[in-house]
Amino acid sequence: MKSGYTGLWLLLALSLAIMIAVSFADDISYGDFTLKRATFKETLLADREQERQEAEIADSVAAEERRVQQEEKAPVDSTRQSILLIGDSMTMNLALRLAQYAAANGHEFHAVNWDSSNTVKWSRSTRLRDYIKEFDATYVFISLGANELYLANPDSHVQYVEGILDQVGDLPYVWIGPPNWKEDKGINDMIDRVCRPGSFFRSAGMTFKRKKDGVHPTRESSAEWMDSVVRWMPKSSHPILIDAPADSLKRVNANLILLKASDK
């Protein structure tokens, strides 16, 4: 009884295989008789094409939703801020200009320039967390990445970027990307990926006037760099009141802390 059922299943399987094979073959003619090809092939391929098209549409919709979300402007936070700017040797001249913006808009401002520092140093140190507490910071600017421009495997430093942002916590922040003087190996893309959406300003691609070392932007070019960051901020995830200072506003105290490369 069992062997009889086995034979029946084999016969059915063979019949199905023949029908599928015929469906992928051309029409078969013998004299005046023509065996039309079955439509299994068209049906199968049509289903696959429909699935592919539906997947493409879903991806397009998701991409459009992300684009719209990024373009939607967050409301401007008009409250008084305690701004903290930290970073490597690019920081000092940025601080001089950002201090003017802070003074013009009634914000408190402090900056820390740590020569030759990178994401590793700042992540392994508690300095950022300590400064945030000391100055009761409510908004953080970060200028790091220049000393990792040639890092062959930027993903190896993801943990350090995350460590820095862990110290920032829930505070709003803007990470100012390095002012590339040559093509990087992915450090900008990595930082952008790790940062909150709308919190990374990509400086790569901008034109700078540089000092004799060919690396550091001049004071004037750094001021223009900071101006570009501020013009971008309405598109950031947490814009604040930061109107341009009047031309009559002279240099203000940046409350700048200078750390040496040897400091730990």
Side-chain angles (χ1 to χ4, degrees), residues 159-218:
Q159 60 182 315
Y160 304 121
V161 174
E162 291 176 339
I164 291 170
L165 297 181
D166 282 345
Q167 294 189 51
V168 174
D170 294 330
L171 294 179
Y173 66 89
V174 169
W175 192 304
I176 304 173
N180 286 40
W181 54 97
K182 287 186 178 181
E183 190 72 23
D184 65 81
K185 298 181 182 297
I187 188 69
N188 278 286
D189 290 341
M190 182 273 284
I191 297 174
D192 189 7
R193 187 174 68 252
V194 177
C195 285
R196 297 175 199 153
S199 297
F200 178 73
F201 178 83
R202 187 180 292 264
S203 307
M206 296 178 63
T207 300
F208 298 93
K209 293 180 181 178
R210 303 184 188 268
K211 297 180 180 180
K212 292 182 179 179
D213 61 7
V215 172
H216 294 81
T218 63

Side-chain angles (χ1 to χ4, degrees), residues 189-254:
D189 290 341
M190 182 273 284
I191 297 174
D192 189 7
R193 187 174 68 252
V194 177
C195 285
R196 297 175 199 153
S199 297
F200 178 73
F201 178 83
R202 187 180 292 264
S203 307
M206 296 178 63
T207 300
F208 298 93
K209 293 180 181 178
R210 303 184 188 268
K211 297 180 180 180
K212 292 182 179 179
D213 61 7
V215 172
H216 294 81
T218 63
R219 179 178 296 179
E220 293 77 13
S221 193
S222 293
E224 294 173 355
W225 182 14
M226 195 69 241
D227 290 343
S228 296
V229 175
V230 171
R231 285 194 296 269
W232 164 84
M233 284 191 67
K235 299 178 182 179
S236 69
S237 61
H238 193 112
I240 59 175
L241 183 63
I242 192 163
D243 295 332
D247 293 338
S248 59
L249 182 64
K250 303 300 181 182
R251 184 173 173 178
V252 300
N253 184 5

Side-chain angles (χ1 to χ4, degrees), residues 11-262:
L11 180 60
L12 290 173
L14 179 60
S15 300
L16 179 60
I18 292 173
M19 292 176 67
I20 294 175
V22 170
S23 73
F24 280 83
D26 294 331
D27 293 345
I28 301 173
S29 297
Y30 183 77
D32 295 332
F33 176 77
T34 300
L35 177 62
K36 292 292 185 180
R37 180 177 56 180
T39 59
F40 293 127
K41 175 183 178 182
E42 286 77 4
T43 302
L44 180 61
L45 296 181
D47 289 345
R48 289 180 178 175
E49 177 63 17
Q50 183 177 355
E51 290 177 358
R52 184 188 67 80
Q53 292 178 356
E54 290 176 351
E56 288 183 352
I57 292 173
D59 290 342
S60 298
V61 170
E64 180 64 16
E65 289 178 348
R66 289 193 298 269
R67 184 189 66 79
V68 171
Q69 289 174 357
Q70 291 174 355
E71 289 185 355
E72 288 180 349
K73 293 183 179 180
V76 175
D77 184 351
S78 60
T79 61
R80 183 177 184 273
Q81 304 291 327
S82 176
I83 298 173
L84 173 63
L85 166 64
I86 66 97
D88 53 32
S89 56
M90 304 290 176
T91 304
M92 182 170 66
N93 284 332
L94 287 175
L96 298 178
R97 182 57 171 163
L98 187 53
Q100 292 180 311
Y101 278 98
N105 291 274
H107 303 310
E108 184 179 348
F109 181 76
H110 295 272
V112 183
N113 180 106
W114 192 354
D115 283 344
S116 300
S117 65
N118 54 23
T119 60
V120 180
K121 276 193 170 184
W122 279 98
S123 177
R124 289 178 174 174
S125 167
T126 63
R127 289 183 183 276
L128 177 53
R129 182 181 291 109
D130 295 341
Y131 286 130
I132 288 174
K133 183 177 180 179
E134 178 180 352
F135 302 127
D136 196 21
T138 59
Y139 206 106
V140 179
F141 285 81
I142 302 165
S143 176
L144 286 171
N147 292 315
E148 292 152 286
L149 206 64
Y150 298 130
L151 189 64
N153 180 20
D155 283 346
S156 65
H157 282 206
V158 166
Q159 60 182 315
Y160 304 121
V161 174
E162 291 176 339
I164 291 170
L165 297 181
D166 282 345
Q167 294 189 51
V168 174
D170 294 330
L171 294 179
Y173 66 89
V174 169
W175 192 304
I176 304 173
N180 286 40
W181 54 97
K182 287 186 178 181
E183 190 72 23
D184 65 81
K185 298 181 182 297
I187 188 69
N188 278 286
D189 290 341
M190 182 273 284
I191 297 174
D192 189 7
R193 187 174 68 252
V194 177
C195 285
R196 297 175 199 153
S199 297
F200 178 73
F201 178 83
R202 187 180 292 264
S203 307
M206 296 178 63
T207 300
F208 298 93
K209 293 180 181 178
R210 303 184 188 268
K211 297 180 180 180
K212 292 182 179 179
D213 61 7
V215 172
H216 294 81
T218 63
R219 179 178 296 179
E220 293 77 13
S221 193
S222 293
E224 294 173 355
W225 182 14
M226 195 69 241
D227 290 343
S228 296
V229 175
V230 171
R231 285 194 296 269
W232 164 84
M233 284 191 67
K235 299 178 182 179
S236 69
S237 61
H238 193 112
I240 59 175
L241 183 63
I242 192 163
D243 295 332
D247 293 338
S248 59
L249 182 64
K250 303 300 181 182
R251 184 173 173 178
V252 300
N253 184 5
N255 296 317
L256 184 62
I257 297 173
L258 298 175
L259 301 177
K260 298 178 181 179
S262 58

